[in-house]
């Protein structure tokens, strides 16, 4: 074994003993592991940790790698949980909450959240969370106390928590603590900084290579549940498109149908077929009924807005660049799903 590897292993074991003896929190441990990495740049190093199931303690392991492989180093104090029991999965570890004696388990949570928020695939979101956290562990961004104070103020204003008592009540209702809330807010700030780091200085070039996706069309649209009625209304108005807004007003007043009448649509947000129809229709004209949800939309094109690189577009470009970065990281990640049972689930819950 090379002398450099022996030195890395020796220092890693000394750090593991210190972490246990001083009962250091993960954030403190991360700072120390960064120093350890800096002292041994010739070797890949990382730290993994877990909350012990039966005790309010953390267990840390350190991974050290060289050209021959990766070495896993761990330390277990005499009073600690025996090695065979560490990570033991009990039947009730899949339990998330119990309401009036009715248990809700993790697989139900994942599926139900995907159903409730159909625009968010929870499985993919969880992978993103892990990828971002691993990236942040490398110390690529720094969250200052001023950053945290600003994030806390925004959090309280958004939720209308104007007194300390209201904050404490909110934490109680959400099963969290002051430390967990601070960790969450610091993580949120760090993610925003990471997003900026991924895209900063390259937004305009990315925009220019995707310019067509940012062309916009402003339309008036009315949702009609019945297909036959949608086509019938379209035929009636096709020769008199000026009556479209009168028709929309009549439907609203007579049927009390909720409707977002005017909207601006970006080409990149539309299905290709729908984008083709809208951008091929002259302003003032109607588009044939388009399937939408449980019915059809009757749309009148009002005007086109060419792509423009302004501050709002810059922000949207940064979001899209970050999504691309995450997609690439997901494609390279090794993922195992566990639903609290003994076996690993092969796939996450399917987005409904």
């Amino acid at each position: 074994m090379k002398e450099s590897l022996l030195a890395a292993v020796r220092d890693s074991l000394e750090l593991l003993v210190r972490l246990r003896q001083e009962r250091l929190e993960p954030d403190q441990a991360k700072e120390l592991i960064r120093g350890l990495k800096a002292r041994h740049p010739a070797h890949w190093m990382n730290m993994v940790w877990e909350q012990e199931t039966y005790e309010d303690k953390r267990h840390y392991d350190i991974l050290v790698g060289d050209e021959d492989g990766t070495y896993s180093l761990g330390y277990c104090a005499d009073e600690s949980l025996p090695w065979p029991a560490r990570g033991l999965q009990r039947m009730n570890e899949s339990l998330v909450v119990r309401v009036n004696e009715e248990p809700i388990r993790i697989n139900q949570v994942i599926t139900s959240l995907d159903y409730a928020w159909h625009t968010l695939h929870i499985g993919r979101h969880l992978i993103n969370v892990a990828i971002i956290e691993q990236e942040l562990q490398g110390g690529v961004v720094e969250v200052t106390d001023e950053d945290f104070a600003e994030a806390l103020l925004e959090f309280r204003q958004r939720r209308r928590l104007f007194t300390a008592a209201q904050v404490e009540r909110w934490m109680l209702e959400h099963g969290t603590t002051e430390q967990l809330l601070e960790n969450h807010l610091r993580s949120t700030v760090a993610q925003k900084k990471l997003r900026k780091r991924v895209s900063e200085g390259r937004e305009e070039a990315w925009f220019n290579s995707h310019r067509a996706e940012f062309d916009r069309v402003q339309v008036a649209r009315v949702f009609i549940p019945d297909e036959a009625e949608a086509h019938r209304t379209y035929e009636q108005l096709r020769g008199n498109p000026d009556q479209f807004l009168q028709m929309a007003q009549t439907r609203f007043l007579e049927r009390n149908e909720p409707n977002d009448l005017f909207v601006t649509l970006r080409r990149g947000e539309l299905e290709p077929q729908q984008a083709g129809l809208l951008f091929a229709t002259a302003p003032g004209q109607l588009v044939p009924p388009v399937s939408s949800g449980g019915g059809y939309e009757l749309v009148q094109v009002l005007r086109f807005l060419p792509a423009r690189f302004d501050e709002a577009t810059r922000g949207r470009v940064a979001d899209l660049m970050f999504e691309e970065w995450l997609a690439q990281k997901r494609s390279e990640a090794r993922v195992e799903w566990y639903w609290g049972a003994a076996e690993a689930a092969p796939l996450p819950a399917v987005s409904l």
Side-chain angles (χ1 to χ4, degrees):
M1 186 177 288
K2 294 181 179 179
E3 184 61 33
S4 64
L5 179 60
L6 287 173
V9 169
R10 181 184 62 250
D11 288 353
S12 297
L13 291 174
E14 290 178 356
L15 176 56
L16 287 170
V17 173
R18 178 185 172 185
L19 294 176
R20 188 65 179 190
Q21 290 177 341
E22 298 182 17
R23 301 288 195 268
L24 297 181
E25 296 293 326
D27 287 345
Q28 299 169 300
K30 289 174 186 176
E31 289 296 325
L32 294 175
I33 196 69
R34 290 191 189 106
L36 182 65
K37 289 179 179 180
R39 293 198 303 275
H40 300 280
H43 298 282
W44 176 86
M45 308 181 78
N46 200 6
M47 178 189 73
V48 294
W49 64 277
E50 65 176 340
Q51 175 75 38
E52 293 187 354
T53 307
Y54 300 103
E55 300 177 281
D56 185 23
K57 299 177 182 177
R58 278 81 173 173
H59 171 74
Y60 297 95
D61 288 326
I62 294 178
L63 306 178
V64 181
D66 64 6
E67 64 271 14
D68 296 325
T70 302
Y71 302 84
S72 176
L73 308 176
Y75 168 70
C76 181
D78 289 341
E79 78 278 5
S80 297
L81 190 68
W83 288 107
R86 190 182 305 281
L88 183 65
Q89 195 138 20
R90 298 173 294 165
M91 287 293 291
N92 66 350
E93 284 191 352
S94 65
L95 186 65
V96 175
V97 64
R98 193 187 301 273
V99 181
N100 296 331
E101 306 306 321
E102 180 66 22
I104 301 296
R105 304 187 185 279
I106 186 62
N107 60 326
Q108 295 171 274
V109 171
I110 297 296
T111 302
S112 63
L113 286 177
D114 266 331
Y115 177 79
W117 295 329
H118 62 278
T119 59
L120 174 66
H121 189 300
I122 300 299
R124 183 168 59 240
H125 173 70
L126 294 176
I127 298 173
N128 288 347
V129 169
I131 288 171
I132 291 170
E133 180 60 28
Q134 290 165 19
E135 193 75 14
L136 295 178
Q137 286 176 5
V140 296
V141 299
E142 179 185 1
V143 179
T144 65
D145 290 340
E146 290 76 14
D147 292 330
F148 167 67
E150 183 178 340
L152 178 60
L153 178 61
E154 180 185 352
F155 167 83
R156 293 181 62 176
Q157 289 175 339
R158 188 167 63 250
R159 289 168 175 78
R160 302 184 64 79
L161 305 175
F162 300 122
T163 67
Q166 289 175 326
V167 174
E168 291 175 1
R169 188 181 308 113
W170 184 93
M171 290 192 297
L172 181 63
E173 291 173 349
H174 290 79
T176 191
T177 64
E178 184 176 342
Q179 184 61 54
L180 288 174
L181 177 59
E182 178 175 347
N183 291 344
H184 170 72
L185 293 177
R186 286 184 178 274
S187 177
T188 300
V189 173
Q191 290 181 33
K192 291 180 180 178
K193 289 192 171 188
L194 177 61
R195 167 187 170 276
K196 182 178 180 181
R197 187 174 185 270
V198 167
S199 62
E200 192 169 30
R202 299 187 297 117
E203 298 96 334
E204 190 166 4
W206 194 96
F207 166 80
N208 289 330
S209 65
H210 298 77
R211 177 178 289 271
E213 298 178 20
F214 290 86
D215 287 337
R216 293 160 294 161
V217 57
Q218 292 183 309
V219 303
R221 62 183 181 181
V222 172
F223 179 78
I224 301 177
D226 181 70
E227 180 180 6
E229 183 183 2
H231 284 279
R232 185 168 59 250
T233 305
Y234 169 72
E235 292 297 333
Q236 292 171 352
L237 294 176
R238 185 165 57 169
N240 299 286
D242 293 342
Q243 297 180 11
F244 181 89
L245 295 181
Q246 180 62 46
M247 178 273 297
Q249 177 178 306
T250 300
R251 292 183 66 89
F252 174 74
L253 295 175
E254 293 182 354
R255 307 190 187 192
N256 196 28
E257 293 177 345
N259 228 323
D260 295 325
L261 181 58
F262 298 110
V263 65
T264 300
L265 304 172
R266 184 170 62 82
R267 187 193 293 270
E269 297 172 338
L270 300 170
E271 295 293 333
Q273 182 180 4
Q274 187 180 24
L277 284 172
L278 289 173
F279 282 90
T281 302
Q285 300 303 308
L286 302 183
V287 179
V290 178
S291 177
S292 175
Y296 291 79
E297 281 186 351
L298 195 57
V299 179
Q300 182 182 38
V301 173
L302 302 178
R303 69 170 176 172
F304 298 109
L305 299 172
R308 184 178 64 182
F309 188 69
D310 53 18
E311 283 307 305
T313 303
R314 183 189 294 275
R316 180 56 182 156
V317 167
D319 288 339
L320 293 171
M321 293 179 69
F322 192 48
E323 290 173 11
E324 277 190 357
W325 179 82
L326 286 170
Q328 178 62 33
K329 291 290 186 179
R330 287 198 305 271
S331 71
E332 300 167 354
R334 298 186 304 274
V335 181
E336 293 178 277
W337 290 97
Y338 293 87
W339 296 137
E343 300 84 8
L347 292 172
V350 175
S351 181
L352 303 177

